[in-house]
Each structure stands twice: as C-alpha cells, then as structure tokens.
Amino acid sequence: MSDNVRVRFAPSPTGKLHIGGARTAIYNWAFARANGGDFILRIDDTDPTRSTDENTQIILRAMRWLGLDWDEGPEVGGDFGPYSQTERLDMYKAAAQKMWDEGTAYPCFCTPEQLAADREAAQARKDPFQGYQRRCRGLSREEAQARIDAGEPYVLRIKVPADRGNVVINDAVHGEVTFDAKELDDFVIFRSDGTPTYNFATVVDDAAMRITHVIRGDDHLSNTPRQVMVYEALGAPVPTFAHISMILGADGKKLSKRHGATSVEEYRDAGYLSDAFVNYLALLGWSLDGETTVIPRDVLASKFSLDRISKNPATFDPKKLDWMNAEYINAMSDADFADQIMLPELLEADMIDEGFEADEAWVDALAAIVRPRTKMPADAAAVAAPVFATAETLAYDEKSVAKGLAKEGLGAVLDAARTALEALSEDAWTPESIDAALEPLPEALDVKKRLVFGAVRVAECGNMVSPPLGETMALIGRDDCLARIDRARPMAG
Ligand code: GLU
C-alpha cells in the first residue's frame, strides 16, 4: 500500500474513553503505523451540551497511557487543523454555502408541525418513501433568499440527486453493502441554530483532512450512505470504510457499565500494563494468524491489516485480560519488573520511601522471587511484605501459625534451625548456604521435611505461601532472621 494512508480517531468528548473507543483508536493507530501513514486525532465536540474540556483531557491522557501517539491533532498540531470541530465552524459554513451555490443543498423552511403532518400522510398512504417530502426542494433561489432575509428560520438540506439509485459501499470488513435509494432522504446538513450535523461535519473534516480509510464502530454503518452523499456533493473522493463489530459482555449484550469497568482509566488505575491492555483489545475482533495471542506493540504496528478483522462481535473477557497481563509481567526482565512495577508498588504501599536506595543485586534478587508470583502489580507489595518487615513488625498469619508452627515438636525444630543458621557468618548468608544448613534437619530430628521447612517459613515470613525460603531469608538478612526465630519461638509447639 502506498505511504499516504491517513486515518483518524474522532472521539466525542461526551464521556471517558471506553473499551470500544480504545479498540477503534488502536486499530486506526496500528493501521497507520503498519502502512507508514498518518494517524490523526480529532475531537468531535460539536455537541456543546455534552462535550467538556475535562473529557477531552481524560481522552488525551488515556490515549497517551495506551501509547497511541498521534501525528496530527490536539497538542501536536498539523497541516490540516484545527483538530477540534468547534474550531472548524467556518469550514462547515463555507462547504455548506458552496453546496447551496452549486445546487447540491437547499434551504428548507418547513416547521416541525409541517414535517410531522407530511410524515403522517406518507404513512397513511403507505408511500414507499417515508422521509422528508422535499417540499422546499423546488423553491427558487430568489424566493429562498427573500425568506431568509425576512428572518424566517431554516435548515439546510442536501439535495440527493433524483437519479442517484442505491448506494453501494465496499466495506473492508463487511464486504459489499447496499443501501436502498428509498432510504436516501434529503437530510439536514445545517440546523436552524447554525450548527452542522454529524454526518455533514464529519465528511467535511474527513475530506479536508484527506482521510483515506474510515475505521470505526459498526454503529455508524447506517450513517455511511448519507456520508457518501456528502462526499459526492463536495466532489471529494470517498474513503474506504471499515466498520468494526461491537464488543459484547459475557452475556452477549453490548458491553456496558453493567459488565464492570468500561473506561480505560479504570484499567490503568487497577494496574494493568498498557502493553498487555492494548494487546488484549487488539485481539477483540482482529487476529494476526488465528493463533498467536501475545502480540507485542511493534508487531501489531507492523502486521495489522484490515483483512484480518472479523465481522463477528467480539466478547470482552476480563479473565483473558488478566491472563494477558500476567503474561506480560512474566515476560519482563527482573530489572524492568523492579523499575516499572515492583518499586512503584512498594512506594505506593509505603513499604519504601522516595529516597529508597538499595544494592542493585539485592533489588534484582528480590524482583526474581516476586515477579513469578505477581499477576497484578499490587500483588508485588503483598509478596514482598515479609522481606520489608522486621522481626518486630512482621505480621503472623494466625492460620499459618496454627497449622505450621504450633504443633507438637516444632519448637525443637526452631531451636535446631536457629543453631544451624547461627553457625553461618554474615558473609556466608546466601540462599544456597541457608538451604544447606537446614537440609540435614529433617533426618537429624526425624521430622518430615515439609514440617521442618514449614515451621521455619512461618517463623521467618509469617505465612506459608511466601517465595522460596533460602532466597527470601538471604534478602531479609542474618540477624533479622535469627531475631524472627526468637520472636516465633514461644508460638511453636
Ligand atoms: N464522533 C463520532 C463518535 O464518537 C465519530 C464517528 C466516526 O468515526 O465517524 O462516534
């Protein structure tokens, strides 16, 4: 494909960026990147009652978090701006004027009452054409102008050519879609309050911004024939359309609040990794080869294609998203995990402070035991908690104490473990030597290995589910480990 692909994501700032919108943005972004084209962000804020600056900011923030950089749009500018519709009113007016001048649009003075009466009459006589009855279509220019000058309210309607016939689009996802000529109304392009309608403003913008592919939700498929009429009236080339399926919840209904978190922000705040989230959303209706599930951003940005978008609605499955998130955490290096997830989480949990400084090898060793046990970032703090506790502050889980420490004979186990561990010097305090020191105890004491290691684990970590014992104890440090055994001793049986 040539390098002049231009696509846009055009959210209306009437709310936050939701999962469906995010997926549309991802597809547009990936399509632009895969084709060396331009990705344009345009704010469709023509609905002044529901659009807010705050929502625009939320959307921009979500786009940044998703890592969907735009080549033109708010904050970055570009040659085809401005990039919010409220700033483009003059262009819509100029386009509408041009259409009137060229006879592809006309003013209509019909009152709402007149329109309602005409509609009823069309229904009563079972007219196959139920739309606007084209009452003002035949007014002469002079007459129309005189009524405008006299202050009569009017809207501007497109003049659909009488012989237009069916509108056929070749949608990149749905294939050939035919819209019956009967449905082609002389629809309103400018309202009486001087604001453009969505179908008009969008096409004026898409044409002016030289958009080559319109990738959007298939709730807009029914708008497409009207938009095609506007392209034709403006004499602009019609872009390729790709209407992507809805996203459904597990119950088969359109994804909504009822299904849980729907805004991108909520997922960011819950700690999902942007890369994993983008990967998961990309797969809701698109596949690389029908099998591969982990598709890093750079692969998405080079391999995305419209022909692998599915016609069928996709189902959003939070469990698969969680799985994907864990996959991404699992694939990280210990150092990246430490910097990007573990240390920020420890800071967040007040387990370390801003000025936290530690030996790099110590941090890496900690990351190595915490990472495999972290599915969501917040898990990291819980897993690392015993390491950051001290003999005084360590919390003992009651059930673990009852099950793993309080039983008959385990006091003697702790005594023996303490003696064996105390024999290790500070320098010899490594995972291997700790394990080696504890290794002979089961046989020497004739106590099951599971019970011996369980007792030491509860004494050192306060629970029975902590990471590998030798590694954890090495991180805690010799003196504190011995002090923990002393503190736990009275709880042992
Ligand atoms: N502002 C419209 C929306 O958010 C854009 C539709 C389109 O892509 O044409 O639904």
Side-chain angles (χ1 to χ4, degrees):
M1 196 168 290
S2 68
D3 62 359
N4 60 356
V5 160
R6 288 177 59 81
V7 291
R8 85 311 193 264
F9 174 55
S12 300
T14 52
K16 297 178 174 176
L17 184 59
H18 286 155
I19 285 174
R23 184 196 52 171
T24 301
I26 291 166
Y27 285 9
N28 276 284
W29 173 86
F31 185 68
R33 295 292 167 262
N35 290 287
D38 293 315
F39 173 52
I40 292 128
L41 178 61
R42 185 178 74 222
I43 304 298
D44 277 6
D45 53 358
T46 39
D47 181 347
T49 52
R50 293 166 60 225
S51 300
T52 67
D53 278 347
E54 196 194 340
N55 285 333
T56 299
Q57 289 314 317
I58 290 172
I59 292 169
L60 297 187
R61 223 182 304 137
M63 290 289 287
R64 270 188 234 106
W65 180 72
L66 292 168
L68 306 178
D69 53 315
W70 53 99
D71 305 301
E72 296 172 28
E75 292 175 359
V76 305
D79 292 342
F80 299 86
Y83 292 92
S84 46
Q85 291 193 321
T86 44
E87 293 176 74
R88 301 176 64 84
L89 194 60
D90 288 347
M91 298 188 206
Y92 309 134
K93 283 190 178 144
Q97 183 67 47
K98 180 167 172 274
M99 280 171 63
W100 187 17
D101 292 345
E102 292 176 359
T104 54
Y106 61 92
C108 163
F109 302 90
C110 294
T111 59
E113 296 73 29
Q114 178 76 68
L115 295 173
D118 284 353
R119 204 172 315 122
E120 271 168 38
Q123 273 163 9
R125 66 173 185 272
K126 300 212 163 51
D127 193 322
F129 181 72
Q130 301 266 328
Y132 172 64
Q133 295 296 314
R134 304 185 167 178
R135 214 169 251 285
C136 297
R137 189 165 151 129
L139 292 179
S140 72
R141 179 146 192 142
E142 293 67 36
E143 190 181 341
Q145 191 62 57
R147 288 172 74 171
I148 291 172
D149 292 344
E152 206 175 320
Y154 70 103
V155 297
L156 218 50
R157 289 183 182 274
I158 192 166
K159 188 184 259 177
V160 175
D163 56 353
R164 177 57 183 77
N166 294 346
V167 174
V168 181
I169 65 157
N170 201 353
D171 191 273
V173 178
H174 295 267
E176 201 172 276
V177 187
T178 302
F179 300 90
D180 199 319
K182 279 202 300 292
E183 322 264 295
L184 290 179
D185 205 359
D186 280 358
F187 61 91
V188 175
I189 59 171
F190 245 91
R191 302 185 188 91
S192 55
D193 65 1
T195 58
T197 56
Y198 157 71
N199 281 317
F200 182 64
T202 288
V203 174
V204 171
D205 288 344
D206 287 344
M209 294 179 178
R210 311 227 179 113
I211 299 303
T212 56
H213 296 73
V214 171
I215 307 168
R216 61 184 172 195
D218 65 9
D219 47 335
H220 284 294
L221 187 58
S222 59
N223 287 319
T224 308
R226 291 180 162 192
Q227 296 186 9
V228 168
M229 298 318 306
V230 180
Y231 281 105
E232 291 179 357
L234 294 173
V238 179
T240 299
F241 292 99
H243 285 96
I244 51 185
S245 64
M246 293 285 97
I247 300 179
L248 308 178
D251 56 359
K253 302 223 168 77
K254 190 174 176 243
L255 195 66
S256 74
K257 270 268 164 242
R258 282 180 301 118
H259 298 99
T262 50
S263 76
V264 170
E265 271 196 327
E266 287 169 282
Y267 287 89
R268 182 201 61 197
D269 294 347
Y272 287 89
L273 303 190
S274 154
D275 286 349
F277 191 68
V278 166
N279 188 158
Y280 179 68
L281 291 195
L283 291 176
L284 290 179
W286 176 81
S287 79
L288 180 63
D289 51 17
E291 290 170 41
T292 314
T293 45
V294 178
I295 303 168
R297 192 182 285 278
D298 56 329
V299 176
L300 182 65
S302 61
K303 294 285 196 305
F304 184 85
S305 68
L306 298 180
D307 57 5
R308 296 209 58 92
I309 295 180
S310 163
K311 265 200 223 33
N312 305 323
T315 303
F316 179 77
D317 180 350
K319 282 203 199 74
K320 285 201 185 130
L321 172 61
D322 288 355
W323 174 85
M324 185 71 80
N325 203 59
E327 282 293 293
Y328 271 76
I329 289 179
N330 208 29
M332 288 175 105
S333 70
D334 290 340
D336 283 349
F337 173 75
D339 290 345
Q340 293 166 30
I341 296 184
M342 187 177 76
L343 294 175
E345 286 298 328
L346 296 179
L347 196 62
E348 174 83 22
D350 276 337
M351 286 165 60
I352 57 175
D353 50 36
E354 283 293 348
F356 175 76
E357 266 180 45
D359 179 56
E360 210 172 300
W362 188 90
V363 172
D364 284 352
L366 178 63
I369 59 168
V370 174
R371 191 178 52 79
R373 290 160 185 82
T374 302
K375 297 217 178 312
M376 288 298 292
D379 300 341
V383 177
V387 172
F388 284 89
T390 64
E392 287 86 47
T393 63
L394 180 69
Y396 284 93
D397 168 55
E398 252 176 66
K399 277 199 192 116
S400 301
V401 170
K403 232 174 123 194
L405 202 54
K407 292 198 179 123
E408 181 73 47
L410 295 180
V413 167
L414 282 194
D415 292 339
R418 195 189 196 289
T419 308
L421 292 165
E422 203 179 3
L424 297 175
S425 70
E426 191 85 51
D427 288 343
W429 195 256
T430 64
E432 298 74 28
S433 55
I434 294 167
D435 285 336
L438 299 174
E439 203 56 45
L441 297 185
E443 212 185 302
L445 301 167
D446 195 20
V447 177
K448 283 205 180 85
K449 184 172 175 186
R450 187 174 49 81
L451 294 178
V452 171
F453 280 82
V456 178
R457 179 182 294 278
V458 176
E460 298 294 355
C461 302
N463 64 56
M464 312 238 278
V465 292
S466 57
L469 194 55
E471 272 98 333
T472 309
M473 288 174 68
L475 288 163
I476 293 168
R478 178 182 183 275
D479 292 350
D480 208 65
C481 279
L482 296 177
R484 290 181 192 206
I485 294 182
D486 294 340
R487 177 166 166 216
R489 182 62 184 83
M491 295 181 241

